[in-house]
Amino acid sequence: MENRLGKIEILGKEYPLNFSVRLGQEFSEALEAKPDGVFGIEKQNIRLLALMLKDGAAFKRVVMGEDIDPPTEEQLELIFTPGDNAMIVAAIQDTIKKSGVRMIQARPKKNEAQATGVKSPKA
């Protein structure tokens, strides 16, 4: 199940990243915001990372029963430098890609399989 989570190492500690339906709207709004200033895009990426860290911690708590206290957006702004932006972007992209992996495989009902000509795999 953890295969759907991304990860990032911050100050020597690994944190889970998640991209869920719940996060989708906030993520879209953060992407639509026009970055301003010299370091606007870096700040936007830190905002996206903070959202994924919060969602990763929530996933671990709800699904796996683990409590994780991720760094806040303010802490991330203090920890990361503009040189870390490529690593942040890679972690975000990896997590989004992993979130597309299906966790549940559905099999058609017997009548549906016959109608479509698809054989239902045996369990």
Side-chain angles (χ1 to χ4, degrees), residues 25-100:
Q25 184 62 40
E26 279 186 79
F27 203 80
S28 292
E29 290 169 5
L31 280 174
E32 289 172 2
K34 302 277 190 258
D36 60 334
V38 176
F39 298 108
I41 194 71
E42 286 87 354
K43 187 169 176 67
Q44 183 183 42
N45 290 338
I46 286 175
R47 168 81 175 123
L48 298 173
L49 179 63
L51 290 171
M52 291 178 125
L53 281 163
K54 260 178 47 179
D55 211 54
F59 181 91
K60 285 283 204 168
R61 179 179 44 77
V62 171
V63 176
M64 308 186 80
E66 296 178 37
D67 281 329
I68 295 172
D69 190 22
T72 65
E73 186 175 344
E74 179 184 23
Q75 290 169 331
L76 295 173
E77 289 174 346
L78 293 168
I79 293 167
F80 289 117
T81 68
D84 295 320
N85 193 53
M87 175 191 63
I88 293 168
V89 169
I92 291 170
Q93 290 175 337
D94 180 57
T95 303
I96 291 171
K97 186 168 66 171
K98 284 182 176 184
S99 72

